[in-house]
Amino acid sequence: MDSRTIAAISTAPGTAGVAIIRVSGPAAGHVALALTGRVPTPRCAALATLRDPVTGLALDRGLVLWFPAPHSFTGDNVLELQVHGGRAVVAAVLRAVLSVDGVRPAEPGEFTRRSFENGRMDLAEVEGLADLLQAETEAQRRQAFALYSGRLTSEADRLQQAILPVLAMVEASIDFPEEEDVASAALAGARDRLAEVRDTIRRLVADSARGERVRDGVTVVIAGPPNAGKSTLLNALARRDAAIVSPIPGTTRDSIEVHLDLAGIPLVLVDTAGLRDSADPVEMEGMRRARARISAADLTLWLSAEAGTAPDDASQEAGTEAKPVWAIQTQMDRGQAANADARHRLSAVSGVGLGALMADLEAFAAERIGGEPAVVVHERHRIIFTEALAALDLAIAIPEWEGAAELVSEALRDALAALGRSRGRMGTEAMLDRLFSTFCIGK
């Protein structure tokens, strides 16, 4: 790891009341001396005039905070300068910081990476921090904060602590086969306790889909024949012109996504190409993509302005027999007969029925992702817990532990190793590079 001192702006770009410039590394104290003439009392904000180390000219007056190692975000010496948020002020102060010997610009995510490499955070907490920075809804914030606060690590540690006594008993039967304490009944009891751990992990893996929905959003696809009002409904629900509306069939050729915050729940609305018989290769590609989005959706809204379209017909056309499809009758402002089989009847132009549809979508999304934040929320987590589950299944499937204690022990060790990877201390450098590159420069 490059141990040189790094510096970057930690606040969002643009004009603001306050901007923060963060410095981390062995020369952070020298930066404080060069710009303010002193190093402040640790963890106490001090008002100071910031000067250019070369010319001595005053650049701004702001707050200076000093966090000596190891009690800082990165584990190194950290200096934070809170200055006025004007572009010229921030640029001048950052230039002054970088003019100090041994200080260089930080790379994306480098502050957090140093925190990880110095043992201040584990990889699961880093992933939680990344999710927290990207959170747009209350549900996403709650789940990200739980991961950032160590919930996954705590659960993995608890499961490891439950497996360790079982492993100790199995290995004792190998090392001391003559001991009466390690009897068949004791090993049978250990197997039962291990089965409880296995069932817990199975539930966590099964719940991972809910965690992914919170992070990525519940996907609702708007589908149907051309001119059924799909783009009009998308614009009405999004409350903006996200899609082009035209009476010409086949106007929508590709999927259009809109992300909504529905009472704190992330929802992804997808407008798709109209489905019909067509020889136009471009339109056919649009319909292929539409059917692909439908098959991956959590819910399909099948739109039709006609009174005769039933939910079964919609499911067959959409190809989603195993997933929920709601029949929605549209354009009710035009006076057509009502479809008794439709779940909702509405007019996106007049707004009639939109409130009921939104309330229904909110209830559907809440059912899919409601409750306490999920523990397993990333693919990496799911793979780790799935590997641990497979190892425990293997151990429990062995009929006679006394005669195959070595195999049981190896399977239990594999489960412990898999759970241990949740902290991220084992893995490839490339995987770490991909993760930390998603952070902004000042984080």
Side-chain angles (χ1 to χ4, degrees), residues 96-108:
V97 170
L98 294 174
S99 71
V100 177
D101 288 341
V103 181
R104 64 168 176 82
E107 297 177 359

Side-chain angles (χ1 to χ4, degrees), residues 307-320:
T309 302
D312 291 342
D313 300 331
S315 297
Q316 183 177 1
E317 176 65 25
T320 57

